[in-house]
Amino acid sequence: YTQYITQTAAYLAHIGEYGGWSQLKFRVNSRNEFNLVAGGGSRDSAVFRQSALTDSILSGLAFKNESLMFNYVYRPRSDLVFSGEYRRLRTYQVSGTPASAGETGISAGFIF
């Protein structure tokens, strides 16, 4: 913890980062809707890798994350909503292969 506070946090504060997301919505009719969302966030990989050479904690942290999400929304009535969703997440570290995960879910909700 002391090393993170005194050294790693200072390295991270000086590494530039960027990110964002975008969404595409397609409404078939008043009851059916599809959404596609993609997003990501990253630090400057060259600077991050160079800093990781002198700080072992940085080599275990992720410098880039990506996500992709697709869902279908069904509204059988004006106060009832059903949704199915799939998410794909990917995280990159300084070395090794990226870690990936997929998540599927369904949900129901009432609007009042």
PDB file of all heavy atoms in Angstrom, residues 67-102:
ATOM      1  N   SER A  67     -15.641  -2.859 -24.209  1.00  0.00           N
ATOM      2  CA  SER A  67     -16.911  -3.524 -23.955  1.00  0.00           C
ATOM      3  C   SER A  67     -17.814  -3.420 -25.174  1.00  0.00           C
ATOM      4  O   SER A  67     -17.753  -2.454 -25.944  1.00  0.00           O
ATOM      5  CB  SER A  67     -17.606  -2.922 -22.731  1.00  0.00           C
ATOM      6  OG  SER A  67     -17.929  -1.575 -22.964  1.00  0.00           O
ATOM      7  N   LEU A  68     -18.633  -4.436 -25.344  1.00  0.00           N
ATOM      8  CA  LEU A  68     -19.616  -4.494 -26.416  1.00  0.00           C
ATOM      9  C   LEU A  68     -20.888  -5.058 -25.809  1.00  0.00           C
ATOM     10  O   LEU A  68     -20.845  -6.050 -25.069  1.00  0.00           O
ATOM     11  CB  LEU A  68     -19.124  -5.399 -27.554  1.00  0.00           C
ATOM     12  CG  LEU A  68     -20.062  -5.585 -28.736  1.00  0.00           C
ATOM     13  CD1 LEU A  68     -20.210  -4.271 -29.507  1.00  0.00           C
ATOM     14  CD2 LEU A  68     -19.533  -6.667 -29.658  1.00  0.00           C
ATOM     15  N   MET A  69     -22.024  -4.430 -26.094  1.00  0.00           N
ATOM     16  CA  MET A  69     -23.283  -4.869 -25.516  1.00  0.00           C
ATOM     17  C   MET A  69     -24.365  -4.835 -26.582  1.00  0.00           C
ATOM     18  O   MET A  69     -24.418  -3.916 -27.401  1.00  0.00           O
ATOM     19  CB  MET A  69     -23.679  -3.957 -24.354  1.00  0.00           C
ATOM     20  CG  MET A  69     -24.850  -4.445 -23.517  1.00  0.00           C
ATOM     21  SD  MET A  69     -26.491  -3.924 -24.052  1.00  0.00           S
ATOM     22  CE  MET A  69     -26.484  -2.193 -23.805  1.00  0.00           C
ATOM     23  N   PHE A  70     -25.189  -5.865 -26.585  1.00  0.00           N
ATOM     24  CA  PHE A  70     -26.341  -5.948 -27.477  1.00  0.00           C
ATOM     25  C   PHE A  70     -27.544  -6.330 -26.637  1.00  0.00           C
ATOM     26  O   PHE A  70     -27.451  -7.231 -25.805  1.00  0.00           O
ATOM     27  CB  PHE A  70     -26.088  -7.014 -28.558  1.00  0.00           C
ATOM     28  CG  PHE A  70     -27.297  -7.284 -29.407  1.00  0.00           C
ATOM     29  CD1 PHE A  70     -27.637  -6.423 -30.437  1.00  0.00           C
ATOM     30  CD2 PHE A  70     -28.092  -8.382 -29.163  1.00  0.00           C
ATOM     31  CE1 PHE A  70     -28.756  -6.662 -31.204  1.00  0.00           C
ATOM     32  CE2 PHE A  70     -29.213  -8.630 -29.931  1.00  0.00           C
ATOM     33  CZ  PHE A  70     -29.544  -7.770 -30.964  1.00  0.00           C
ATOM     34  N   ASN A  71     -28.670  -5.634 -26.831  1.00  0.00           N
ATOM     35  CA  ASN A  71     -29.872  -6.061 -26.122  1.00  0.00           C
ATOM     36  C   ASN A  71     -31.121  -5.895 -26.969  1.00  0.00           C
ATOM     37  O   ASN A  71     -31.130  -5.155 -27.957  1.00  0.00           O
ATOM     38  CB  ASN A  71     -30.008  -5.372 -24.752  1.00  0.00           C
ATOM     39  CG  ASN A  71     -30.558  -3.968 -24.827  1.00  0.00           C
ATOM     40  OD1 ASN A  71     -30.578  -3.335 -25.867  1.00  0.00           O
ATOM     41  ND2 ASN A  71     -30.978  -3.458 -23.701  1.00  0.00           N
ATOM     42  N   TYR A  72     -32.136  -6.622 -26.568  1.00  0.00           N
ATOM     43  CA  TYR A  72     -33.456  -6.567 -27.197  1.00  0.00           C
ATOM     44  C   TYR A  72     -34.459  -6.195 -26.108  1.00  0.00           C
ATOM     45  O   TYR A  72     -34.444  -6.789 -25.026  1.00  0.00           O
ATOM     46  CB  TYR A  72     -33.807  -7.925 -27.804  1.00  0.00           C
ATOM     47  CG  TYR A  72     -35.253  -8.047 -28.198  1.00  0.00           C
ATOM     48  CD1 TYR A  72     -35.762  -7.311 -29.265  1.00  0.00           C
ATOM     49  CD2 TYR A  72     -36.109  -8.880 -27.505  1.00  0.00           C
ATOM     50  CE1 TYR A  72     -37.095  -7.416 -29.625  1.00  0.00           C
ATOM     51  CE2 TYR A  72     -37.439  -8.998 -27.855  1.00  0.00           C
ATOM     52  CZ  TYR A  72     -37.931  -8.260 -28.916  1.00  0.00           C
ATOM     53  OH  TYR A  72     -39.253  -8.351 -29.269  1.00  0.00           O
ATOM     54  N   VAL A  73     -35.290  -5.207 -26.368  1.00  0.00           N
ATOM     55  CA  VAL A  73     -36.290  -4.746 -25.405  1.00  0.00           C
ATOM     56  C   VAL A  73     -37.675  -4.982 -25.999  1.00  0.00           C
ATOM     57  O   VAL A  73     -37.949  -4.585 -27.133  1.00  0.00           O
ATOM     58  CB  VAL A  73     -36.102  -3.245 -25.085  1.00  0.00           C
ATOM     59  CG1 VAL A  73     -37.156  -2.773 -24.099  1.00  0.00           C
ATOM     60  CG2 VAL A  73     -34.705  -2.976 -24.551  1.00  0.00           C
ATOM     61  N   TYR A  74     -38.532  -5.632 -25.211  1.00  0.00           N
ATOM     62  CA  TYR A  74     -39.906  -5.919 -25.631  1.00  0.00           C
ATOM     63  C   TYR A  74     -40.863  -5.311 -24.613  1.00  0.00           C
ATOM     64  O   TYR A  74     -40.732  -5.548 -23.415  1.00  0.00           O
ATOM     65  CB  TYR A  74     -40.121  -7.434 -25.741  1.00  0.00           C
ATOM     66  CG  TYR A  74     -41.535  -7.824 -26.064  1.00  0.00           C
ATOM     67  CD1 TYR A  74     -42.138  -7.416 -27.247  1.00  0.00           C
ATOM     68  CD2 TYR A  74     -42.272  -8.606 -25.183  1.00  0.00           C
ATOM     69  CE1 TYR A  74     -43.435  -7.781 -27.544  1.00  0.00           C
ATOM     70  CE2 TYR A  74     -43.571  -8.975 -25.472  1.00  0.00           C
ATOM     71  CZ  TYR A  74     -44.151  -8.552 -26.656  1.00  0.00           C
ATOM     72  OH  TYR A  74     -45.440  -8.906 -26.946  1.00  0.00           O
ATOM     73  N   ARG A  75     -41.832  -4.531 -25.100  1.00  0.00           N
ATOM     74  CA  ARG A  75     -42.837  -3.894 -24.246  1.00  0.00           C
ATOM     75  C   ARG A  75     -44.217  -4.413 -24.634  1.00  0.00           C
ATOM     76  O   ARG A  75     -44.880  -3.836 -25.499  1.00  0.00           O
ATOM     77  CB  ARG A  75     -42.785  -2.379 -24.417  1.00  0.00           C
ATOM     78  CG  ARG A  75     -41.514  -1.759 -23.934  1.00  0.00           C
ATOM     79  CD  ARG A  75     -41.511  -0.240 -24.189  1.00  0.00           C
ATOM     80  NE  ARG A  75     -40.325   0.382 -23.692  1.00  0.00           N
ATOM     81  CZ  ARG A  75     -39.213   0.532 -24.406  1.00  0.00           C
ATOM     82  NH1 ARG A  75     -39.149   0.113 -25.642  1.00  0.00           N
ATOM     83  NH2 ARG A  75     -38.154   1.106 -23.862  1.00  0.00           N
ATOM     84  N   PRO A  76     -44.700  -5.490 -23.996  1.00  0.00           N
ATOM     85  CA  PRO A  76     -46.009  -6.032 -24.355  1.00  0.00           C
ATOM     86  C   PRO A  76     -47.162  -5.106 -23.953  1.00  0.00           C
ATOM     87  O   PRO A  76     -48.210  -5.116 -24.596  1.00  0.00           O
ATOM     88  CB  PRO A  76     -46.089  -7.355 -23.608  1.00  0.00           C
ATOM     89  CG  PRO A  76     -45.121  -7.217 -22.485  1.00  0.00           C
ATOM     90  CD  PRO A  76     -44.050  -6.287 -22.960  1.00  0.00           C
ATOM     91  N   ARG A  77     -46.944  -4.314 -22.898  1.00  0.00           N
ATOM     92  CA  ARG A  77     -47.920  -3.318 -22.452  1.00  0.00           C
ATOM     93  C   ARG A  77     -47.157  -2.040 -22.113  1.00  0.00           C
ATOM     94  O   ARG A  77     -45.926  -2.046 -22.010  1.00  0.00           O
ATOM     95  CB  ARG A  77     -48.665  -3.807 -21.202  1.00  0.00           C
ATOM     96  CG  ARG A  77     -49.416  -5.093 -21.393  1.00  0.00           C
ATOM     97  CD  ARG A  77     -50.268  -5.450 -20.190  1.00  0.00           C
ATOM     98  NE  ARG A  77     -49.729  -4.995 -18.912  1.00  0.00           N
ATOM     99  CZ  ARG A  77     -49.797  -5.699 -17.800  1.00  0.00           C
ATOM    100  NH1 ARG A  77     -50.348  -6.903 -17.793  1.00  0.00           N
ATOM    101  NH2 ARG A  77     -49.316  -5.225 -16.674  1.00  0.00           N
ATOM    102  N   SER A  78     -47.870  -0.974 -21.920  1.00  0.00           N
ATOM    103  CA  SER A  78     -47.204   0.302 -21.639  1.00  0.00           C
ATOM    104  C   SER A  78     -46.505   0.325 -20.276  1.00  0.00           C
ATOM    105  O   SER A  78     -45.631   1.150 -20.042  1.00  0.00           O
ATOM    106  CB  SER A  78     -48.211   1.442 -21.725  1.00  0.00           C
ATOM    107  OG  SER A  78     -49.218   1.278 -20.744  1.00  0.00           O
ATOM    108  N   ASP A  79     -46.874  -0.585 -19.362  1.00  0.00           N
ATOM    109  CA  ASP A  79     -46.270  -0.591 -18.026  1.00  0.00           C
ATOM    110  C   ASP A  79     -45.390  -1.812 -17.755  1.00  0.00           C
ATOM    111  O   ASP A  79     -44.942  -2.023 -16.640  1.00  0.00           O
ATOM    112  CB  ASP A  79     -47.365  -0.506 -16.961  1.00  0.00           C
ATOM    113  CG  ASP A  79     -48.314  -1.696 -16.993  1.00  0.00           C
ATOM    114  OD1 ASP A  79     -48.296  -2.449 -17.985  1.00  0.00           O
ATOM    115  OD2 ASP A  79     -49.069  -1.865 -16.021  1.00  0.00           O
ATOM    116  N   LEU A  80     -45.107  -2.622 -18.771  1.00  0.00           N
ATOM    117  CA  LEU A  80     -44.337  -3.846 -18.600  1.00  0.00           C
ATOM    118  C   LEU A  80     -43.219  -3.908 -19.643  1.00  0.00           C
ATOM    119  O   LEU A  80     -43.445  -3.666 -20.827  1.00  0.00           O
ATOM    120  CB  LEU A  80     -45.254  -5.063 -18.745  1.00  0.00           C
ATOM    121  CG  LEU A  80     -44.656  -6.447 -18.517  1.00  0.00           C
ATOM    122  CD1 LEU A  80     -44.112  -6.572 -17.100  1.00  0.00           C
ATOM    123  CD2 LEU A  80     -45.725  -7.500 -18.778  1.00  0.00           C
ATOM    124  N   VAL A  81     -41.991  -4.245 -19.183  1.00  0.00           N
ATOM    125  CA  VAL A  81     -40.823  -4.293 -20.072  1.00  0.00           C
ATOM    126  C   VAL A  81     -40.048  -5.580 -19.812  1.00  0.00           C
ATOM    127  O   VAL A  81     -39.795  -5.953 -18.667  1.00  0.00           O
ATOM    128  CB  VAL A  81     -39.880  -3.086 -19.812  1.00  0.00           C
ATOM    129  CG1 VAL A  81     -38.651  -3.177 -20.690  1.00  0.00           C
ATOM    130  CG2 VAL A  81     -40.584  -1.780 -20.025  1.00  0.00           C
ATOM    131  N   PHE A  82     -39.661  -6.264 -20.904  1.00  0.00           N
ATOM    132  CA  PHE A  82     -38.774  -7.424 -20.841  1.00  0.00           C
ATOM    133  C   PHE A  82     -37.539  -7.109 -21.675  1.00  0.00           C
ATOM    134  O   PHE A  82     -37.625  -6.450 -22.705  1.00  0.00           O
ATOM    135  CB  PHE A  82     -39.453  -8.679 -21.401  1.00  0.00           C
ATOM    136  CG  PHE A  82     -40.629  -9.142 -20.605  1.00  0.00           C
ATOM    137  CD1 PHE A  82     -41.915  -8.949 -21.081  1.00  0.00           C
ATOM    138  CD2 PHE A  82     -40.460  -9.766 -19.381  1.00  0.00           C
ATOM    139  CE1 PHE A  82     -43.008  -9.373 -20.358  1.00  0.00           C
ATOM    140  CE2 PHE A  82     -41.546 -10.196 -18.643  1.00  0.00           C
ATOM    141  CZ  PHE A  82     -42.828  -9.999 -19.130  1.00  0.00           C
ATOM    142  N   SER A  83     -36.381  -7.617 -21.234  1.00  0.00           N
ATOM    143  CA  SER A  83     -35.150  -7.341 -21.961  1.00  0.00           C
ATOM    144  C   SER A  83     -34.196  -8.527 -21.871  1.00  0.00           C
ATOM    145  O   SER A  83     -34.053  -9.129 -20.818  1.00  0.00           O
ATOM    146  CB  SER A  83     -34.475  -6.093 -21.386  1.00  0.00           C
ATOM    147  OG  SER A  83     -33.249  -5.856 -22.042  1.00  0.00           O
ATOM    148  N   GLY A  84     -33.570  -8.836 -22.975  1.00  0.00           N
ATOM    149  CA  GLY A  84     -32.482  -9.809 -23.024  1.00  0.00           C
ATOM    150  C   GLY A  84     -31.223  -9.085 -23.443  1.00  0.00           C
ATOM    151  O   GLY A  84     -31.264  -8.184 -24.289  1.00  0.00           O
ATOM    152  N   GLU A  85     -30.087  -9.459 -22.850  1.00  0.00           N
ATOM    153  CA  GLU A  85     -28.868  -8.700 -23.076  1.00  0.00           C
ATOM    154  C   GLU A  85     -27.652  -9.616 -23.121  1.00  0.00           C
ATOM    155  O   GLU A  85     -27.588 -10.614 -22.414  1.00  0.00           O
ATOM    156  CB  GLU A  85     -28.720  -7.693 -21.931  1.00  0.00           C
ATOM    157  CG  GLU A  85     -27.476  -6.881 -21.953  1.00  0.00           C
ATOM    158  CD  GLU A  85     -27.465  -5.873 -20.822  1.00  0.00           C
ATOM    159  OE1 GLU A  85     -28.245  -4.907 -20.894  1.00  0.00           O
ATOM    160  OE2 GLU A  85     -26.697  -6.076 -19.872  1.00  0.00           O
ATOM    161  N   TYR A  86     -26.681  -9.238 -23.957  1.00  0.00           N
ATOM    162  CA  TYR A  86     -25.388  -9.918 -23.991  1.00  0.00           C
ATOM    163  C   TYR A  86     -24.297  -8.857 -23.908  1.00  0.00           C
ATOM    164  O   TYR A  86     -24.346  -7.845 -24.619  1.00  0.00           O
ATOM    165  CB  TYR A  86     -25.206 -10.730 -25.277  1.00  0.00           C
ATOM    166  CG  TYR A  86     -23.831 -11.335 -25.375  1.00  0.00           C
ATOM    167  CD1 TYR A  86     -23.472 -12.419 -24.596  1.00  0.00           C
ATOM    168  CD2 TYR A  86     -22.875 -10.785 -26.220  1.00  0.00           C
ATOM    169  CE1 TYR A  86     -22.199 -12.964 -24.653  1.00  0.00           C
ATOM    170  CE2 TYR A  86     -21.598 -11.320 -26.290  1.00  0.00           C
ATOM    171  CZ  TYR A  86     -21.270 -12.400 -25.512  1.00  0.00           C
ATOM    172  OH  TYR A  86     -20.012 -12.924 -25.574  1.00  0.00           O
ATOM    173  N   ARG A  87     -23.307  -9.079 -23.043  1.00  0.00           N
ATOM    174  CA  ARG A  87     -22.162  -8.177 -22.907  1.00  0.00           C
ATOM    175  C   ARG A  87     -20.864  -8.943 -23.103  1.00  0.00           C
ATOM    176  O   ARG A  87     -20.710 -10.052 -22.614  1.00  0.00           O
ATOM    177  CB  ARG A  87     -22.119  -7.545 -21.510  1.00  0.00           C
ATOM    178  CG  ARG A  87     -23.220  -6.607 -21.230  1.00  0.00           C
ATOM    179  CD  ARG A  87     -23.050  -6.011 -19.860  1.00  0.00           C
ATOM    180  NE  ARG A  87     -24.235  -5.278 -19.488  1.00  0.00           N
ATOM    181  CZ  ARG A  87     -24.281  -4.411 -18.514  1.00  0.00           C
ATOM    182  NH1 ARG A  87     -23.207  -4.174 -17.801  1.00  0.00           N
ATOM    183  NH2 ARG A  87     -25.394  -3.781 -18.233  1.00  0.00           N
ATOM    184  N   ARG A  88     -19.938  -8.318 -23.782  1.00  0.00           N
ATOM    185  CA  ARG A  88     -18.605  -8.879 -23.977  1.00  0.00           C
ATOM    186  C   ARG A  88     -17.608  -7.865 -23.440  1.00  0.00           C
ATOM    187  O   ARG A  88     -17.579  -6.713 -23.879  1.00  0.00           O
ATOM    188  CB  ARG A  88     -18.354  -9.135 -25.466  1.00  0.00           C
ATOM    189  CG  ARG A  88     -17.039  -9.768 -25.768  1.00  0.00           C
ATOM    190  CD  ARG A  88     -17.084 -11.206 -25.400  1.00  0.00           C
ATOM    191  NE  ARG A  88     -15.850 -11.846 -25.795  1.00  0.00           N
ATOM    192  CZ  ARG A  88     -15.493 -13.020 -25.386  1.00  0.00           C
ATOM    193  NH1 ARG A  88     -16.283 -13.699 -24.589  1.00  0.00           N
ATOM    194  NH2 ARG A  88     -14.376 -13.543 -25.764  1.00  0.00           N
ATOM    195  N   LEU A  89     -16.799  -8.288 -22.475  1.00  0.00           N
ATOM    196  CA  LEU A  89     -15.822  -7.410 -21.846  1.00  0.00           C
ATOM    197  C   LEU A  89     -14.417  -7.945 -22.101  1.00  0.00           C
ATOM    198  O   LEU A  89     -14.201  -9.157 -22.064  1.00  0.00           O
ATOM    199  CB  LEU A  89     -16.072  -7.326 -20.338  1.00  0.00           C
ATOM    200  CG  LEU A  89     -17.499  -6.964 -19.930  1.00  0.00           C
ATOM    201  CD1 LEU A  89     -17.695  -7.193 -18.443  1.00  0.00           C
ATOM    202  CD2 LEU A  89     -17.805  -5.539 -20.297  1.00  0.00           C
ATOM    203  N   ARG A  90     -13.478  -7.046 -22.352  1.00  0.00           N
ATOM    204  CA  ARG A  90     -12.086  -7.447 -22.580  1.00  0.00           C
ATOM    205  C   ARG A  90     -11.161  -6.455 -21.875  1.00  0.00           C
ATOM    206  O   ARG A  90     -11.348  -5.258 -21.989  1.00  0.00           O
ATOM    207  CB  ARG A  90     -11.775  -7.482 -24.067  1.00  0.00           C
ATOM    208  CG  ARG A  90     -10.356  -7.951 -24.352  1.00  0.00           C
ATOM    209  CD  ARG A  90     -10.109  -8.143 -25.806  1.00  0.00           C
ATOM    210  NE  ARG A  90     -10.900  -9.281 -26.240  1.00  0.00           N
ATOM    211  CZ  ARG A  90     -11.096  -9.598 -27.506  1.00  0.00           C
ATOM    212  NH1 ARG A  90     -10.584  -8.858 -28.456  1.00  0.00           N
ATOM    213  NH2 ARG A  90     -11.815 -10.643 -27.818  1.00  0.00           N
ATOM    214  N   THR A  91     -10.173  -6.984 -21.156  1.00  0.00           N
ATOM    215  CA  THR A  91      -9.207  -6.174 -20.416  1.00  0.00           C
ATOM    216  C   THR A  91      -7.801  -6.552 -20.845  1.00  0.00           C
ATOM    217  O   THR A  91      -7.475  -7.732 -20.939  1.00  0.00           O
ATOM    218  CB  THR A  91      -9.378  -6.404 -18.900  1.00  0.00           C
ATOM    219  OG1 THR A  91     -10.684  -5.990 -18.520  1.00  0.00           O
ATOM    220  CG2 THR A  91      -8.369  -5.610 -18.114  1.00  0.00           C
ATOM    221  N   TYR A  92      -6.977  -5.550 -21.080  1.00  0.00           N
ATOM    222  CA  TYR A  92      -5.590  -5.759 -21.499  1.00  0.00           C
ATOM    223  C   TYR A  92      -4.647  -5.349 -20.378  1.00  0.00           C
ATOM    224  O   TYR A  92      -4.815  -4.303 -19.771  1.00  0.00           O
ATOM    225  CB  TYR A  92      -5.266  -4.904 -22.726  1.00  0.00           C
ATOM    226  CG  TYR A  92      -6.078  -5.256 -23.940  1.00  0.00           C
ATOM    227  CD1 TYR A  92      -7.346  -4.734 -24.129  1.00  0.00           C
ATOM    228  CD2 TYR A  92      -5.561  -6.091 -24.903  1.00  0.00           C
ATOM    229  CE1 TYR A  92      -8.089  -5.048 -25.245  1.00  0.00           C
ATOM    230  CE2 TYR A  92      -6.296  -6.415 -26.037  1.00  0.00           C
ATOM    231  CZ  TYR A  92      -7.555  -5.882 -26.197  1.00  0.00           C
ATOM    232  OH  TYR A  92      -8.291  -6.193 -27.307  1.00  0.00           O
ATOM    233  N   GLN A  93      -3.638  -6.192 -20.137  1.00  0.00           N
ATOM    234  CA  GLN A  93      -2.582  -5.855 -19.188  1.00  0.00           C
ATOM    235  C   GLN A  93      -1.280  -5.667 -19.945  1.00  0.00           C
ATOM    236  O   GLN A  93      -1.221  -5.867 -21.157  1.00  0.00           O
ATOM    237  CB  GLN A  93      -2.456  -6.941 -18.135  1.00  0.00           C
ATOM    238  CG  GLN A  93      -3.660  -6.984 -17.219  1.00  0.00           C
ATOM    239  CD  GLN A  93      -3.511  -8.004 -16.116  1.00  0.00           C
ATOM    240  OE1 GLN A  93      -2.942  -9.065 -16.326  1.00  0.00           O
ATOM    241  NE2 GLN A  93      -4.020  -7.677 -14.944  1.00  0.00           N
ATOM    242  N   VAL A  94      -0.221  -5.303 -19.231  1.00  0.00           N
ATOM    243  CA  VAL A  94       1.058  -5.009 -19.865  1.00  0.00           C
ATOM    244  C   VAL A  94       1.589  -6.214 -20.631  1.00  0.00           C
ATOM    245  O   VAL A  94       2.083  -6.093 -21.739  1.00  0.00           O
ATOM    246  CB  VAL A  94       2.086  -4.533 -18.808  1.00  0.00           C
ATOM    247  CG1 VAL A  94       3.460  -4.392 -19.405  1.00  0.00           C
ATOM    248  CG2 VAL A  94       1.632  -3.215 -18.214  1.00  0.00           C
ATOM    249  N   SER A  95       1.481  -7.393 -20.053  1.00  0.00           N
ATOM    250  CA  SER A  95       1.975  -8.584 -20.741  1.00  0.00           C
ATOM    251  C   SER A  95       0.906  -9.670 -20.692  1.00  0.00           C
ATOM    252  O   SER A  95      -0.002  -9.632 -19.867  1.00  0.00           O
ATOM    253  CB  SER A  95       3.262  -9.082 -20.094  1.00  0.00           C
ATOM    254  OG  SER A  95       3.006  -9.444 -18.758  1.00  0.00           O
ATOM    255  N   GLY A  96       1.022 -10.621 -21.582  1.00  0.00           N
ATOM    256  CA  GLY A  96       0.068 -11.729 -21.618  1.00  0.00           C
ATOM    257  C   GLY A  96      -1.098 -11.450 -22.543  1.00  0.00           C
ATOM    258  O   GLY A  96      -1.190 -10.399 -23.178  1.00  0.00           O
ATOM    259  N   THR A  97      -1.972 -12.421 -22.612  1.00  0.00           N
ATOM    260  CA  THR A  97      -3.143 -12.286 -23.470  1.00  0.00           C
ATOM    261  C   THR A  97      -4.241 -11.508 -22.745  1.00  0.00           C
ATOM    262  O   THR A  97      -4.301 -11.505 -21.518  1.00  0.00           O
ATOM    263  CB  THR A  97      -3.680 -13.675 -23.877  1.00  0.00           C
ATOM    264  OG1 THR A  97      -4.033 -14.379 -22.684  1.00  0.00           O
ATOM    265  CG2 THR A  97      -2.654 -14.457 -24.656  1.00  0.00           C
ATOM    266  N   PRO A  98      -5.128 -10.866 -23.502  1.00  0.00           N
ATOM    267  CA  PRO A  98      -6.214 -10.131 -22.860  1.00  0.00           C
ATOM    268  C   PRO A  98      -7.180 -11.081 -22.143  1.00  0.00           C
ATOM    269  O   PRO A  98      -7.386 -12.212 -22.575  1.00  0.00           O
ATOM    270  CB  PRO A  98      -6.937  -9.435 -24.018  1.00  0.00           C
ATOM    271  CG  PRO A  98      -6.111  -9.639 -25.227  1.00  0.00           C
ATOM    272  CD  PRO A  98      -5.126 -10.711 -24.945  1.00  0.00           C
ATOM    273  N   ALA A  99      -7.747 -10.613 -21.057  1.00  0.00           N
ATOM    274  CA  ALA A  99      -8.766 -11.377 -20.338  1.00  0.00           C
ATOM    275  C   ALA A  99     -10.123 -10.990 -20.912  1.00  0.00           C
ATOM    276  O   ALA A  99     -10.413  -9.811 -21.101  1.00  0.00           O
ATOM    277  CB  ALA A  99      -8.710 -11.057 -18.847  1.00  0.00           C
ATOM    278  N   SER A 100     -10.946 -11.997 -21.225  1.00  0.00           N
ATOM    279  CA  SER A 100     -12.256 -11.754 -21.821  1.00  0.00           C
ATOM    280  C   SER A 100     -13.338 -12.445 -21.018  1.00  0.00           C
ATOM    281  O   SER A 100     -13.101 -13.485 -20.403  1.00  0.00           O
ATOM    282  CB  SER A 100     -12.302 -12.279 -23.254  1.00  0.00           C
ATOM    283  OG  SER A 100     -11.383 -11.603 -24.065  1.00  0.00           O
ATOM    284  N   ALA A 101     -14.519 -11.873 -21.064  1.00  0.00           N
ATOM    285  CA  ALA A 101     -15.663 -12.478 -20.390  1.00  0.00           C
ATOM    286  C   ALA A 101     -16.931 -12.106 -21.138  1.00  0.00           C
ATOM    287  O   ALA A 101     -17.049 -11.005 -21.674  1.00  0.00           O
ATOM    288  CB  ALA A 101     -15.754 -12.004 -18.947  1.00  0.00           C
ATOM    289  N   GLY A 102     -17.867 -13.037 -21.184  1.00  0.00           N
ATOM    290  CA  GLY A 102     -19.174 -12.786 -21.765  1.00  0.00           C
ATOM    291  C   GLY A 102     -20.229 -12.923 -20.690  1.00  0.00           C
ATOM    292  O   GLY A 102     -20.106 -13.755 -19.790  1.00  0.00           O
TER     293      GLY A 102
END
